[in-house]
């Protein structure tokens, strides 16, 4: 037989090969579609199991919490604890509650727990702290008795006081039963998680990393139920459509020989579309051109894809609100809720870098403060920080809460003494009040998007700190004789605290404008301005009070007036405080700012202290106190910082209590005591309004040009010129666009001479200034 000499494969036409390939692809997509049909059914089963298990776990937690909540308020329980009958107390909790494994009682101070938290159990301590913070029954999974358990805790109260904290241990099966009984294929995954810990899991553990989507939170806890199913190959519907397309292509190829296809002849016109010079889509996007170029004459118009939309822009951030020692702006103009949220996340990011976990947030009484605080807390939680929200509170109470709640960090949402449309943030991280570069670095973090975002949001809980703050002060200070004082809070947040604290130390208090109103309807809450003290002087004289005390908008600055109507400037109050502190701490460093009288340094020296003049600004003063280990500091604006017997932060309410303690120990009237202090002739703080930012450039020019013959110059904060008979100062405010001035001398003639010298130098630097003296 003669061979044809041809390869048998050559007899197979390419069309048949393509058709066969299309059939194979169609069969493969059909098989994938069948597989995806099974995956879809499994996903449905997993979703159903997750929802039912989540509802079951939530129901069991709520049942356990409700059971403890009902038992902890029984009269018999409080009675048993008050008479020290622990067996009876145990019976109230355990009686008829079969699941209870153990009951423990803990002192609300938790001193023993914090002495060795590892031995006590971090989880146990955490659920007890949470119950104390919320004043309610709380649940969590903790390691106890060598294994995970469902733990409950609740404070037991009598007449508003916490007698003890009850801790109840239940078996974990109480909680995980709904997950154990849920219908689930071995190919799926179901788990109960608390934070990052898997409390219970079953199924294919390889799916654990993809189970968070659609998680079901367990209300009132940090737990959630998660689940996952294997992913399909690309979607059942897609695979069946592709299979159908494959069969259609195969059929078309097999039928091709029977179709009469018209071929182009050489005479057919070919449409020539000029594309060689047309820009690509990437080039169009890079150029920013939205409209495509006009097509050449005779060209066929083809649709052109529009440029891709830009990514959404970040909220505009006004750098001017990041000031020397806090953040402050006008709500709706330079400060909004998104800005507050970003600031919170930036603070949380700094805390994350330092390993700081918890932070206290308090707010003043401004109308915008609840919104600003909520947004700030949201940002902090996004960064994974635990937040103690103490609600409305003066700034020093927020500082106090940072110590008292063992947080170490805090933020006060406040506009301080600024107008009602202002708000801002005073920030402490791990005991350090942020100022200068540290505040600017928050701005840089935000604009560079260097923000930490935690996989799990931080916890947030509310805590009432008022009673703790009051008892802490009243436990240390009780005045020796009753003094009648009028307290003017200017409708600021101090009105919710100051009268109660001063009454608790034994004073007879007449409140004035102590209702909190963020519109400040009576007068501006700034005690450094004598105009704001007129109402206080009138009431002091009308009720024949010993003294008048005024507080600023967030309660960290103090003003004082006497029965005669005299305003006692803060630098003279600091003389009184310094003499008192130095009796117990001879040689101690006392810090004062550049605006204080020249008599102050000599007064400190005469009482055996070490005077130190420093820059104005609460955060700058506190930083200098830490560096110098000063026992006391004060500013002309009315900030007073006690480290002796207190925490070293500026607290006007505490300063008022210390003032009454000193005055009540003396036989003289308050006016007579103040008359013994060195006193010259001085002006209050004088302010020159300038454009935003101009205060800083003016000071630079003034330092370069001003000349004061015979004076000793200090330039640590603006320029202060001291002569033997007096001094003058001009500096830039770090909170508002103003130049701040003050003059002090031994008599009127010296005062006028110094004012004249400054007037000439100021106008020589900028003739357009409108001088207030």
């Amino acid at each position: 037989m003669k061979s044809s000499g041809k390869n048998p494969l050559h007899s197979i036409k390419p069309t048949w090969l393509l058709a066969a390939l299309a059939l194979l692809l169609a069969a493969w997509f059909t098989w994938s579609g069948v597989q995806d049909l099974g995956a879809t059914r499994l996903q449905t089963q997993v979703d159903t199991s997750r929802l039912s298990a989540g509802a079951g776990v939530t129901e069991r937690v709520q049942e356990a919490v409700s059971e403890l909540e009902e038992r902890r308020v029984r009269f018999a329980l409080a009675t048993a604890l008050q008479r020290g009958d622990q067996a009876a107390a145990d019976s109230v909790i355990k009686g008829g509650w079969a699941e209870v494994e153990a009951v423990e009682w803990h002192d609300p101070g938790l001193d023993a727990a914090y002495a060795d938290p590892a031995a006590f159990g971090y989880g146990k301590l955490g659920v007890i702290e949470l119950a104390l913070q919320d004043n309610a029954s709380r649940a969590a999974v903790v390691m106890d008795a060598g294994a995970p358990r469902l733990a409950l805790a609740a404070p037991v109260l009598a007449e508003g006081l916490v007698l003890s904290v009850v801790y109840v241990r239940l078996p974990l099966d109480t909680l995980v039963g709904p997950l154990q009984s849920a219908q689930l294929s071995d190919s799926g995954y179901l788990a109960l998680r608390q934070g990052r810990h898997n409390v219970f899991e079953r199924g294919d553990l390889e799916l654990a990393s993809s189970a968070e989507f659609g998680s079901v939170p367990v209300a009132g806890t940090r737990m959630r139920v998660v689940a996952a199913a294997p992913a399909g190959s690309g979607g059942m519907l897609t695979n069946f459509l592709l299979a159908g397309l494959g069969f259609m292509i195969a059929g078309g190829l097999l039928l091709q020989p029977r179709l009469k296809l018209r071929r182009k002849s050489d005479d057919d016109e070919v449409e020539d579309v000029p594309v060689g010079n047309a820009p690509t889509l990437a080039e169009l996007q890079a150029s920013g051109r939205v409209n495509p170029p006009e097509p050449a004459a005779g060209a066929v118009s083809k649709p052109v894809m529009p440029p891709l939309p830009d990514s959404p822009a970040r909220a505009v951030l006004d750098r001017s609100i990041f000031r020397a020692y806090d953040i402050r702006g006008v709500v709706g103009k330079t400060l909004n809720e998104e800005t507050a949220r970003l600031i919170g996340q930036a603070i949380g990011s700094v805390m994350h870098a330092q390993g700081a976990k918890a932070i206290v947030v308090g707010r003043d009484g401004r109308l915008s403060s609840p919104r600003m605080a909520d947004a700030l807390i949201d940002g902090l939680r996004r960064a994974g920080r635990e937040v103690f929200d103490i609600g409305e509170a003066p700034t020093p109470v927020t500082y106090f809460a940072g110590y008292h709640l063992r947080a170490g960090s805090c933020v006060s949402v406040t506009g301080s003494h600024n107008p009602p449309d202002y708000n801002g943030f005073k920030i402490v991280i791990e005991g350090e009040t942020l100022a200068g570069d540290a505040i600017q670095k928050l701005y840089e973090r935000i604009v560079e998007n260097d923000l930490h975002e935690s996989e799990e949001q931080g916890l947030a809980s509310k805590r009432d700190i008022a009673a703790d703050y009051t008892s802490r002060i009243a436990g240390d200070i009780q005045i020796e004789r009753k003094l009648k004082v009028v307290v003017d809070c200017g409708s600021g947040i101090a009105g919710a605290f100051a009268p109660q604290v001063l009454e608790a130390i034994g004073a007879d208090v007449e409140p004035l404008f102590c209702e909190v109103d963020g519109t400040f309807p009576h007068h501006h809450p700034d005690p450094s301005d004598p105009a704001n003290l007129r109402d206080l002087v009138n009431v002091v004289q009308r009720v024949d009070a010993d003294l008048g005390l005024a507080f600023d908008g967030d309660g960290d600055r103090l003003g004082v007036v006497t029965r005669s109507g005299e305003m006692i400037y803060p630098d003279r109050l600091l003389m009184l405080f310094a003499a008192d502190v130095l009796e117990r701490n001879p040689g101690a460093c006392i810090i004062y700012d550049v605006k204080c009288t020249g008599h102050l340094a000599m007064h400190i020296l005469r009482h055996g202290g070490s005077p130190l003049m420093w820059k104005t600004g609460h955060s700058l003063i506190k930083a200098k106190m830490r560096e110098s280990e000063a026992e006391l500091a004060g500013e002309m604006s009315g900030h007073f910082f006690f480290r002796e017997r207190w925490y070293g932060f500026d607290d006007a309410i505490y300063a008022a209590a210390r003032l009454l303690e000193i005055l009540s120990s003396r036989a003289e009237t308050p006016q007579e005591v103040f008359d013994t202090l060195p006193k010259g002739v001085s002006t209050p703080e004088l302010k020159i309004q300038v454009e935003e930012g101009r205060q800083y450039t003016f000071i630079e020019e003034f330092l370069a040009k001003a000349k004061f013959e015979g004076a000793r110059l200090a330039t640590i904060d603006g320029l202060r010129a001291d002569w033997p008979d007096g001094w003058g100062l001009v500096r830039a405010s770090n909170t508002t666009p103003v130049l701040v001035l003050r003059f002090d001398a031994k008599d009127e003639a010296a005062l006028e001479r110094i004012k004249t010298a400054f007037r000439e130098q100021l106008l020589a630097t900028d003739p357009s200034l409108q001088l207030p003296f």
Side-chain angles (χ1 to χ4, degrees), residues 304-419:
V304 178
M305 185 182 296
L308 296 174
D310 292 336
S311 59
R314 181 175 290 281
V316 176
L317 195 67
D318 193 320
R319 185 161 196 166
S320 69
I321 68 175
F322 293 81
R323 299 172 182 261
Y325 33 83
D326 58 21
I327 299 173
R328 200 175 303 176
V330 179
V331 176
K333 293 183 179 179
T334 58
L335 180 63
N336 58 27
E337 288 164 78
E338 177 59 19
T339 303
R341 187 173 292 107
L342 291 170
I343 290 169
Q345 193 169 356
I347 294 169
S349 299
V350 175
M351 293 176 63
H352 172 73
Q354 296 184 10
K357 302 295 185 183
I359 186 167
V360 172
V361 174
R363 65 178 189 270
D364 68 14
R366 290 167 187 266
L367 303 183
S368 63
S369 289
R371 305 196 312 272
M372 293 297 110
D374 286 347
L376 178 86
I377 289 171
D378 182 54
L380 289 165
R381 295 183 65 200
R382 288 186 184 190
R385 302 310 95 186
E386 181 180 4
V387 180
F388 299 127
D389 179 6
I390 65 170
E392 285 195 343
T395 293
V397 176
T398 302
Y399 294 155
F400 169 81
Y403 286 92
H404 187 72
L405 299 178
R406 304 181 179 94
S409 303
C410 61
V411 180
S412 179
V413 180
T414 177
S416 188
H417 60 281
N418 288 84

Side-chain angles (χ1 to χ4, degrees), residues 698-719:
F698 176 86
I699 291 298
E700 290 178 5
E701 296 169 13
F702 190 74
L703 289 173
K705 296 180 180 179
K707 296 185 184 301
F708 294 98
E709 295 296 332
R712 184 179 70 256
L713 302 183
T715 57
I716 58 173
D717 188 2
L719 186 146

Side-chain angles (χ1 to χ4, degrees), residues 236-250:
M236 174 183 64
L237 180 59
T238 301
N239 283 318
F240 282 137
L241 287 174
L242 289 173
L245 180 61
F247 285 122
M248 289 174 63
I249 292 171

